[in-house]
Amino acid sequence: MRSRLPVVLVLPAVAGLAFLLVPLAGLLVETPWATLPSQLFSAEVGQALQLSLICASLATIVCLVLGVPLAWLLARSDLPGRGLLRALVTVPLVLPPVVGGVALLLVLGRRGLVGQYLDQWFGVSLPFTTTGVVLAEAFVAMPFLVISVEGALRAADPRYEEAAATLGASRWLTFRRVTLPGIMPGVVAGTVLCWARALGEFGATITFAGNFPGRTTTMPLAVYLALETDPDAAIVLSIVLLLVSVAVLAGLRDKWIRA
Amino acid sequence: MAATLVLAGCGSQHQPGTGVTGEITVFAAASLTGSFQKLGKEFEAANPGSKVTFNFAGSSALAQQINRGAPADVFASAAPSNMKQVTDTGAITASPATFAKNTLQIVVPKGNPGKITGLADFAKADLKIALCAEQVPCGAASKKAFEAAGITAAPDTLEQDVKAALTKVSLGEVDAALVYRTDVKAAGDEVEGQDFAEASSAVNDYPIAPLAKAPNATAAQAFVDHVLSAKGREVLAEAGFAAP
């Protein structure tokens, strides 16, 4: 028989749960449910929601392609200054997103360190484009993926990799066939966190990519601007974003994480 | 004008320097930051024992905070519409007085790389243009100006506030934006301002009023009077605001 749950853990746990859920409940209580369907099916909301889902998913793919190898480098290589590198990777986590957006402008903007050459040589300008939204979201969300995958890598038993190596597998083959399957729960959890963060991204997006309906206006931007004139509409938009993200996350959870 | 007279009339018994004390909390539009901080210092110097605290933010955010019961004494809004949100709920019962006017200016990066000469350039698709979103006061004013000029603007981005639009210009990311004259003035050498004729059809009024439930009602009225005084006008004019 299990012993009783310790009160010192249960009380703060319940308080923590309430702290996270009560503001959401407040949102639900204030929701003008009658206008929800008409808002949900309005062209502007549909457009913003679609853009949000596409951009967050593309940003997540960018993060996976770049972030998993980066996590592997941080966890497995004997690079000098790895500790410092690990700390630097988490900088976008602590940076106010608006500052992140300004930093992206300073590098990739029309007059930025790299951006001026993109503009002169290739005629490519990233600010105020959908690509800009994806970049801003990936910048802010990637640390979530890297930290989670790196944690899984460091917790994984290196003996399986060593065994594969003694059997003659190359490091790339070992990574694909031994390491990656072993850390899959960490990768999935990181991907979910990364996608959720990208979906809710506001500060870096509006600063770097601006706000233009159909091109860069994602749901969080639409919510912010609705709040200026019509708080009720802003609540409805928030609920829409909330429902969609909970549906996606719950779906993923059942399919992937428990398994 | 009538409202100004009424407020000035009932304020005459609380002129600065008549011993107003205690803390005064002023909720003021972000565009008033510089000039109101200066007015606050003056007020504190004239009324020993008083302390003015500011909450600067977008007018609509302030209106919502007040309607949700934030303990403010005075509300100074960048648009009559946001003031109306507060008078509608009865959080303010006094009639608001207009204390300043702000007009739009074309703002371009230093050196004017896009060779902008007037409002008509805002319709050119090959130029990068930032405007304020229609939901915020500077965007509503821009819309009026374009309507008056009969121009359909082709913006690349609709910014969430006037400072964000200005940042895009000072970083050189856009060739031009429409912002308030006071913001151009505050931005200094990074940017250049250009006047345009249609600005006169999109003038923004700034109303101020004490709150009905002001915790420090006497001081609230005294601060409003200070803003409306000749001395207050002077500080506001320095920042680029026009007299009401």
Side-chain angles (χ1 to χ4, degrees):
Chain A
M1 214 174 97
R2 277 199 301 179
S3 59
R4 289 185 54 203
L5 294 166
V7 175
V8 275
L9 288 182
V10 171
L11 278 184
V14 170
L17 194 67
F19 179 61
L20 290 178
L21 294 186
V22 168
L24 297 183
L27 209 56
L28 290 173
V29 168
E30 292 276 316
T31 302
W33 292 102
T35 60
L36 186 69
S38 63
Q39 284 276 357
L40 189 54
F41 296 111
S42 85
E44 286 156 43
V45 173
Q47 202 178 39
L49 188 60
Q50 193 187 357
L51 192 69
S52 281
L53 293 173
I54 291 173
C55 287
S57 304
L58 286 177
T60 306
I61 292 171
V62 171
C63 291
L64 274 171
V65 170
L66 303 178
V68 173
L70 176 57
W72 179 83
L73 199 73
L74 291 176
R76 285 287 190 270
S77 73
D78 33 14
L79 223 58
R82 208 168 44 148
L84 181 66
L85 218 56
R86 200 177 279 143
L88 287 177
V89 164
T90 56
V91 162
L93 276 182
V94 287
L95 208 61
V98 176
V99 179
V102 173
L104 283 173
L105 275 180
L106 292 176
V107 175
L108 297 172
R110 206 161 57 149
R111 287 194 189 166
L113 294 173
V114 178
Q116 56 180 319
Y117 300 109
L118 289 177
D119 192 31
Q120 282 168 24
W121 296 347
F122 308 108
V124 172
S125 176
L126 293 170
F128 316 125
T129 62
T130 307
T131 314
V133 177
V134 175
L135 287 179
E137 290 182 354
F139 177 77
V140 173
M142 185 134 64
F144 288 88
L145 182 87
V146 174
I147 287 178
S148 140
V149 174
E150 198 218 340
L153 274 169
R154 295 218 279 172
D157 192 339
R159 281 177 302 181
Y160 293 110
E161 292 173 21
E162 284 158 16
T166 58
L167 293 170
S170 69
R171 279 192 104 168
W172 170 231
L173 185 72
T174 311
F175 176 78
R176 268 190 310 143
R177 304 296 289 273
V178 179
T179 316
L180 205 51
I183 58 163
M184 220 36 181
V187 174
V188 173
T191 307
V192 168
L193 270 180
C194 178
W195 184 82
R197 179 66 187 86
L199 191 71
E201 216 306 309
F202 171 75
T205 308
I206 199 162
T207 308
F208 180 61
N211 168 54
F212 196 84
R215 206 185 305 152
T216 60
T217 304
T218 54
M219 284 298 273
L221 274 60
V223 170
Y224 182 88
L225 284 167
L227 208 49
E228 292 287 326
T229 45
D230 187 355
D232 275 354
I235 292 175
V236 172
L237 289 174
S238 314
I239 291 293
V240 170
L241 187 59
L242 200 70
L243 292 179
V244 170
S245 45
V246 167
V248 171
L249 293 178
L252 279 179
R253 221 166 223 285
D254 284 346
K255 197 161 164 50
W256 292 102
I257 296 184
R258 275 229 213 93
Chain B
M1 193 60 207
T4 315
L5 287 175
V6 170
L7 275 178
C10 71
S12 57
Q13 52 216 340
H14 311 297
Q15 282 304 318
T18 53
V20 170
T21 56
E23 193 162 322
I24 312 151
T25 308
V26 178
F27 279 31
S31 47
L32 294 166
T33 306
S35 30
F36 264 45
Q37 274 170 345
K38 202 164 175 189
L39 286 171
K41 289 260 172 2
E42 283 181 8
F43 186 86
E44 286 173 358
N47 298 283
S50 70
K51 169 107 188 63
V52 187
T53 331
F54 290 105
N55 176 20
F56 294 109
S59 299
S60 60
L62 294 174
Q64 278 165 44
Q65 288 169 2
I66 290 171
N67 281 340
R68 295 277 166 174
D73 292 298
V74 177
F75 179 37
S77 164
S81 60
N82 298 126
M83 181 58 87
K84 190 172 176 297
Q85 289 178 334
V86 177
T87 50
D88 279 353
T89 61
I92 283 180
T93 46
S95 44
T98 302
F99 66 96
K101 285 175 185 289
N102 214 347
T103 47
L104 293 172
Q105 250 191 339
I106 296 171
V107 62
V108 298
K110 196 180 175 178
N112 195 1
K115 313 231 174 342
I116 305 289
T117 54
L119 210 54
D121 290 324
F122 281 72
K124 292 182 182 163
D126 55 329
L127 292 175
K128 291 259 185 260
I129 303 291
L131 294 177
C132 293
E134 270 175 34
Q135 291 92 330
V136 297
C138 68
S142 303
K143 191 183 170 200
K144 270 192 224 159
F146 283 116
E147 274 167 9
I151 292 169
T152 310
D156 291 272
T157 176
L158 304 167
E159 296 292 316
Q160 82 270 33
D161 59 42
V162 62
K163 296 284 182 210
L166 191 67
T167 304
K168 297 289 196 296
V169 175
S170 50
L171 288 175
E173 286 305 326
V174 295
D175 298 306
L178 275 194
V179 299
Y180 292 121
R181 170 186 301 277
T182 52
D183 297 298
V184 179
K185 205 155 181 173
D189 297 339
E190 291 281 293
V191 299
E192 297 170 11
Q194 292 179 7
D195 285 315
F196 61 100
E198 292 81 3
S200 59
S201 49
V203 179
N204 228 43
D205 288 345
Y206 280 56
I208 190 169
L211 267 74
K213 285 187 185 155
N216 193 351
T218 324
Q221 187 57 56
F223 185 81
V224 170
D225 291 342
H226 181 58
V227 172
L228 292 167
S229 70
K231 198 95 185 31
R233 288 273 154 78
E234 209 174 286
V235 172
L236 289 160
E238 246 169 69
F241 288 103

